[in-house]
Amino acid sequence: MATVPLDIDVLFAAAFAPVIGVVAFWFLQLVFIELQKRMLLRLRHRHDAFCRFTNFIGVLFQTICHALGYTVTRSGIASFQLTVNYGKVEPRKEKTGVLEWIVDSFLLFGPFFIPAGFVLLASYFVIGKGFAFPTLVHYTFLESLTGFGVSMSAFASTFANFLITIDLFNPLHVGFLFVLLFFGLGIRPSYIGEERKEKIDMIHDLILIKNHLVKKPLYILAFIVIFYVFYLLSLFLNPLVYVAVFSILGWMSLTAIFALLLTYLVIGLIKATDGIRTRWMAAPFITVIVSYVLARVFFIYYPMKHVESVSLLVMIVSTIVITILLIKYKKTNRFKTEKKMKHVRVADGKKRTSKKRAG
């Protein structure tokens, strides 16, 4: 049992430090989601199938979270419907009051944390060393916030180090990378329905959450009281438990942010193919695989340090160079075609003039 000197800071202020940290990372996650939505909407006119795929993943996550809400409240699941644009779960028993509010909370908050929680669990097998909980000497607001920040920094550093040294010849690493991309592409739907009938953005999400919280203020008060009681219990038993719980929530947001950053690379590459001639559009994606494999084979015969990182760098540079060259090739050919057509039109004009004069 831990002994903690009690004062106003310890009893009240320190309880809010990790909460502030989690909320800050969650808002940062929302900003990255909003940026991804805008990128996807710019692709929609040329890559509608890809956008529909990302929308399907997002609807899938939302529907699963809704189903989990019914499962947790023991409502049961009577039917589970899922399409590219729509997901619906019907309970066996309709619940009211606090249980209904919990189900709605799963639907609104679940997509931000539950899928990320599963990916975080999977990440333990590839970045286990990054799961470091803070060590506190004096449990105060400042030290609690600092400890939370150190925990986030250690996790982010380990995760980033894994990504820049990932071994694409390792099935475990490749599998986790696909899971991360799959989650990142569907963390929130890019659009709702066949047509974009309403503006689905960060403000829209925040308004829905605000309306949900304001609707039942007593439930929010009860939720705060429960969390504060948990804080007091951990304060006297083991103060690290409280910060550890919020550290896990922060890791979920960081996992989501890393997943979103990776999807930016995929979306950017797909967007770049719009400037390439149709028959060469697959070339950048083939370059990704071929350049990495060739680099790894080369380093088998000429070994050096940091082979995985250098191979990734070769892959990225090769893909960028090939993409730029193909875009310039299309522009050059378009210019030549337009110039040729201009000459043809001029020649036709001269022929018509000559015929008129001859007539």
Side-chain angles (χ1 to χ4, degrees), residues 9 24 30 64 72 92 193 209-210 228 230 235-236 267 282 307:
D9 188 357
L30 278 175
I64 289 174
V72 168
R92 289 184 181 276
I209 291 170
K210 185 265 295 181
Y228 187 68
F230 169 64
L235 185 64
F236 290 101
I267 295 170
V307 170

Side-chain angles (χ1 to χ4, degrees), residues 36 54-55 57-59 61 111 181-189 263:
Q36 188 203 59
T54 63
N55 195 70
I57 304 172
V59 173
F61 286 158
L181 284 172
F182 184 82
F183 162 68
L185 287 172
I187 186 170
R188 295 293 283 172
T263 63

Side-chain angles (χ1 to χ4, degrees), residues 46-257:
R46 292 288 299 273
H47 304 278
D48 186 61
F50 177 73
C51 290
R52 285 167 62 82
F53 171 70
T54 63
N55 195 70
F56 172 76
I57 304 172
V59 173
L60 171 65
F61 286 158
Q62 285 185 314
T63 312
I64 289 174
C65 290
H66 203 186
L68 282 173
Y70 285 126
T71 303
V72 168
T73 56
R74 292 189 169 185
S75 303
I77 299 173
S79 65
F80 186 100
Q81 300 176 19
L82 183 67
T83 67
V84 173
N85 306 297
Y86 180 72
K88 183 180 180 182
V89 183
E90 291 185 353
R92 289 184 181 276
K93 297 178 183 178
E94 291 285 350
K95 301 288 185 178
T96 56
V98 66
L99 295 180
E100 182 185 13
W101 186 80
I102 290 173
V103 170
D104 292 339
S105 298
F106 266 85
L107 179 61
L108 285 173
F109 293 100
F112 294 106
F113 295 103
I114 292 175
F118 286 116
V119 179
L120 182 67
L121 187 62
S123 70
Y124 179 79
F125 298 99
V126 291
I127 56 164
K129 294 180 181 178
F131 292 81
F133 293 107
T135 302
L136 304 179
V137 180
H138 304 290
Y139 201 75
T140 62
F141 176 87
L142 184 59
E143 184 162 348
S144 178
L145 190 60
T146 303
F148 175 84
V150 168
S151 177
M152 295 300 102
S153 176
F155 180 81
S157 175
T158 307
F159 209 120
N161 184 64
F162 164 75
L163 290 177
I164 63 176
T165 59
I166 189 171
D167 183 3
L168 297 182
F169 278 7
N170 185 333
L172 180 63
H173 287 192
V174 174
F176 178 71
L177 183 64
F178 276 106
V179 168
L180 200 60
L181 284 172
F182 184 82
F183 162 68
L185 287 172
I187 186 170
R188 295 293 283 172
S190 56
Y191 62 97
I192 303 297
E194 293 291 342
E195 296 179 0
R196 196 170 180 231
K197 297 180 180 178
E198 59 177 338
K199 192 174 182 182
I200 308 296
D201 56 8
M202 183 173 118
I203 304 300
H204 176 269
D205 289 332
L206 289 174
I207 289 173
L208 288 178
I209 291 170
K210 185 265 295 181
N211 293 339
H212 174 66
L213 297 179
V214 169
K215 185 169 62 174
K216 300 290 183 180
L218 289 179
Y219 295 165
I220 299 300
L221 181 61
F223 184 75
I224 293 172
V225 169
I226 291 171
F227 251 92
Y228 187 68
V229 169
F230 169 64
Y231 168 73
L232 291 178
L233 288 175
S234 65
L235 185 64
F236 290 101
L237 298 176
N238 187 351
L240 294 181
V241 173
Y242 184 75
V243 180
V245 169
F246 284 94
S247 293
I248 293 172
L249 293 174
W251 292 342
M252 290 180 186
S253 284
L254 273 175
T255 302
I257 290 169

